[in-house]
Amino acid sequence: TLVLFFGEIVPSAFFTGPNQVEVAAKLVPLVKFVMFFLTPIAVPIAKLLDKVLIDDSSGGHGHLDEDVTEGKYYNRTELSALVRIQYEAQVSDKRRRKQEQTLLLKSAVGVAG
C-alpha cells in the first residue's frame, strides 16, 4: 500500500495542474542527487542479480559479460528502423482489425437480412 500511495497517488496529485513542468524541473537536482547517492548501492545489487538470475530468453545463457551501468544506445539508422518496424506493426494490426470488423458487420447484416 505504501508503494501505491507514494508511487501512484501522491505523484499524480502533486504533478497534476497547469505548472507541472515547472515543478518537475525544480525537482531535477533532487532526483540527480538521489541517483548519485544510491548508485553505490544499486549497481552492486544489479550486478549480483545479473549473476544470480539468468535470462531465459537467450536460451538459458545469461549475458553476464554486459555491464549493467552501460545502456544500449542506438544510432540514427537503428532507431529509425525500430520506429519503422513499430509503425508497420501498428498499421498491420489496424488493417487486420478493420478487416475483422468488416467481416463481422457483413455476417451480422447477412444474418439480419
Side-chain angles (χ1 to χ4, degrees):
T1 57
L2 289 176
V3 172
L4 174 67
F5 185 73
F6 289 107
E8 291 288 333
I9 297 171
V10 170
S12 64
F14 190 66
F15 291 107
T16 303
N19 59 351
Q20 59 191 356
V21 175
E22 291 86 11
V23 172
K26 289 180 182 176
L27 289 175
V28 167
L30 175 66
V31 170
K32 287 191 176 198
F33 172 75
V34 170
M35 287 174 57
F36 177 77
F37 183 73
L38 293 178
T39 296
I41 299 167
V43 169
I45 291 173
K47 288 187 178 189
L48 176 68
L49 288 173
D50 280 347
K51 290 189 187 294
V52 172
L53 303 174
I54 296 176
D55 184 18
D56 288 337
S57 65
S58 62
H61 301 90
H63 298 288
L64 300 179
D65 55 344
E66 291 181 7
D67 189 3
V68 295
T69 59
E70 293 184 22
K72 170 68 173 147
Y73 296 100
Y74 298 104
N75 63 29
R76 182 181 284 286
T77 306
E78 292 171 328
L79 188 58
S80 176
L82 286 172
V83 170
R84 183 177 31 80
I85 290 168
Q86 191 71 15
Y87 174 75
E88 289 172 357
Q90 288 177 351
V91 168
S92 173
D93 287 345
K94 195 172 186 179
R95 264 192 223 124
R96 182 187 49 79
R97 284 193 307 269
K98 183 75 169 173
Q99 288 173 346
E100 289 174 354
Q101 288 175 352
T102 304
L103 182 63
L104 182 64
L105 286 173
K106 285 181 179 178
S107 64
V109 169
V111 169

